[in-house]
Amino acid sequence: MVNAPTNLSVTKVSNGFELSWTVNDSNTTGGITIERSSDGGNTFFEVVSGIDKNSETFLDSTSIDTETPTYRITRVTDDTTSSSNPVEYTEPEPIDVPESESLEAITRSPSEIELRWRGDAADSEYAVYRSTSPQTD
């Protein structure tokens, strides 16, 4: 028997979707297959198979026909398979950040800037976006 991978997470990155999971068995045979669905998990198609059995990350940079793909990871051995629960990528909700006089941009080099600001202690993370054109409201 082989245990299914757990803790599957999907993150959108600039060149695709990054997957990470936890391997839960010590079986020395087989590998991992990654499947993707563009219809909410009704139909899955193989993205790649034969990944090392100890791998716990993968970058899916193939062409994707949806903004919210669903993935599942399958642990495969010579005689059995076991799949993770499917996980659909969901776009994080944007956070309205009030205009702040505390935002400071410091040029470090022609290709590097440093951003500093005072945040709310209750916030656990911030997302910083870069654009080559000014934002218009």
Side-chain angles (χ1 to χ4, degrees), residues 13-30:
V13 293
S14 63
N15 54 342
F17 291 89
E18 185 174 82
L19 285 66
S20 64
W21 61 90
T22 302
V23 173
N24 293 306
D25 71 77
S26 58
N27 194 311
T28 59
T29 64

Side-chain angles (χ1 to χ4, degrees), residues 40-87:
N42 294 314
T43 308
F44 282 89
F45 298 95
E46 186 176 292
V47 175
V48 64
S49 65
I51 294 176
D52 182 271
K53 65 189 175 309
N54 297 314
S55 294
E56 293 188 328
T57 61
F58 178 77
L59 174 62
D60 182 6
S61 58
T62 61
S63 177
I64 297 175
D65 58 355
T66 180
E67 291 292 316
T68 56
T70 300
Y71 289 91
R72 73 178 172 198
I73 310 298
T74 301
R75 180 70 171 86
V76 180
T77 64
D78 294 337
D79 58 355
T80 188
T81 64
S82 187
S83 296
S84 69
N85 291 327
V87 171

